[in-house]
Amino acid sequence: MRQNLFLLVCLASAIVFSSCASTRVQNLTKATLEALELVKQEAQRAIRLTEEKVNRQEVDPNIGKEVINNLEATEKKVDDQIVKAAQLEKQNDREAILKFAESSHVIIQSALTDIKSLNDLYDVTTFSQFETATFFPLGGYIIPQEKLDEARISMEPIVKRIIKFIGDHPNQRFVAVVVCSGHSDETPVSKESPLYKSLLPLMKNPNPTRQELNQKISELRAKSIARLLVDVIKVNEGLIPNPRLINYDIKWLGRGEAYPTTKIKDYTPNDKRRRVVSLIWNVL
């Protein structure tokens, strides 16, 4: 894939060079068409890779859908240019060919930048998972003061990977999307417990089921982790070359008693492996 991207850079440069030499105008359409076809192939390859990442739970499904939509939009632009190329070959209009080459060059360069960034992103570990015991007391959803430092240390490797990626692409505008998902086991919450009393005002149902209570607990844990991550990012934001180019979209979701992964086949109702918070980050 990277070899193809290098070839694309060379082709894109050749298009610009050719457009400056009147004797080579006739070759512009062919060179541009070759570059556009390669961009289309790379976009299709990136779509397949994104689908694989989603299936392996390495990319959040909603983010994966947005990435694929962007890549398909690039494909559509390329297809439109390919149609124009076929028309220009019949017309043989020098001025129209030069304008076509210029507009195609903009599309190609933009696609190259986006696809390279995506490839670089997929080379980085963007998925992390933590047992809730790392952050929370049994049945709790607020990180205790005495565990905050330990919890921040757990977040630092993730933040460093995000900041390094952004630093490696200093002049690009990004949205860093972080999705925190909480999971729980099937342990009931006693109506006499302080936990139940603290959850009840947050529930839509005045007589919540076990599943609804565990869903809310998992959501609140994910929210606590998301807030902690934002705090750690802010502390380290001075390491980002152009922080004004970066926006953050932090999401938290409660998955409740849904299994954290389909890879494990022997979960039990009170399995501690189900009491986790997973975190996936992507940069768009």
Side-chain angles (χ1 to χ4, degrees):
M1 184 181 290
R2 294 187 185 280
Q3 190 174 24
N4 285 348
L5 287 176
F6 175 75
L7 179 60
L8 266 171
V9 172
C10 295
L11 272 172
S13 301
I15 290 169
V16 175
F17 178 74
S18 297
S19 66
C20 299
S22 58
T23 57
R24 299 182 182 180
V25 168
Q26 298 302 321
N27 296 324
L28 263 181
T29 305
K30 181 180 178 182
T32 305
L33 190 58
E34 288 177 2
L36 289 167
E37 291 286 1
L38 276 174
V39 166
K40 185 174 180 177
Q41 290 173 22
E42 289 304 307
Q44 290 171 342
R45 190 176 286 112
I47 288 171
R48 291 194 296 272
L49 181 57
T50 302
E51 290 171 341
E52 290 171 9
K53 290 275 186 179
V54 170
N55 290 336
R56 294 199 299 264
Q57 297 179 318
E58 296 173 11
V59 170
D60 179 77
N62 292 326
I63 302 306
K65 184 178 180 181
E66 189 170 347
V67 169
I68 290 171
N69 286 343
N70 290 340
L71 289 166
E72 288 176 343
T74 296
E75 262 196 285
K76 175 67 167 58
K77 290 179 183 178
V78 168
D79 283 338
D80 290 345
Q81 291 299 100
I82 290 172
V83 170
K84 289 180 183 178
Q87 296 170 346
L88 285 171
E89 282 184 331
K90 297 175 182 178
Q91 295 173 2
N92 198 25
D93 183 327
R94 180 179 182 279
E95 186 176 348
I97 290 172
L98 289 173
K99 286 182 178 179
F100 165 76
E102 289 173 3
S103 62
S104 295
H105 179 70
V106 171
I107 293 171
I108 291 166
Q109 289 294 343
S110 176
L112 282 174
T113 300
D114 291 346
I115 293 171
K116 181 182 182 304
S117 295
L118 191 62
N119 288 338
D120 291 346
L121 178 66
Y122 286 164
D123 284 343
V124 180
T125 301
T126 59
F127 175 84
S128 300
Q129 191 172 84
F130 307 92
E131 290 187 6
T132 56
T134 305
F135 302 95
F136 309 101
L138 185 63
Y141 53 84
I142 297 173
I143 304 174
Q145 189 67 36
E146 64 271 15
K147 279 204 168 189
L148 275 175
D149 287 343
E150 180 184 347
R152 288 192 182 99
I153 290 171
S154 298
M155 291 290 105
E156 281 181 0
I158 300 166
V159 172
K160 286 179 180 177
R161 287 196 292 270
I162 295 173
I163 288 175
K164 184 181 185 305
F165 177 84
I166 292 170
D168 289 343
H169 304 80
N171 297 316
Q172 288 181 251
R173 189 175 296 277
F174 286 120
V175 177
V177 183
V178 180
V179 181
C180 294
S181 300
H183 295 264
S184 73
D185 61 10
E186 298 174 29
T187 302
V189 179
S190 170
K191 289 188 176 183
E192 287 73 36
S193 67
L195 176 60
Y196 183 89
K197 292 175 183 177
S198 68
L199 290 172
L200 194 57
L202 307 175
M203 308 298 296
K204 294 179 180 179
N205 182 357
N207 188 27
T209 64
R210 184 201 73 217
Q211 291 87 345
E212 289 171 337
L213 289 164
N214 281 328
Q215 192 277 334
K216 179 56 72 173
I217 291 171
S218 66
E219 176 191 318
L220 294 171
R221 285 172 174 166
K223 187 174 183 178
S224 291
I225 298 298
R227 285 175 171 171
L228 178 66
L229 183 72
V230 171
D231 289 342
V232 178
I233 288 174
K234 287 180 179 177
V235 169
N236 291 276
E237 203 166 36
L239 300 174
I240 299 175
N242 296 304
R244 288 178 295 180
L245 295 179
I246 312 302
N247 290 318
Y248 298 94
D249 184 6
I250 313 294
K251 307 174 188 289
W252 55 85
L253 303 169
R255 305 290 189 185
E257 297 176 6
Y259 291 164
T261 176
T262 56
K263 296 176 183 177
I264 297 176
K265 306 297 182 182
D266 61 345
Y267 282 124
T268 59
N270 299 327
D271 200 324
K272 71 174 185 178
R273 294 174 298 173
R274 296 173 62 178
R275 300 193 292 267
V276 298
V277 174
S278 61
L279 188 152
I280 302 176
W281 65 272
N282 287 90
V283 177
L284 301 177

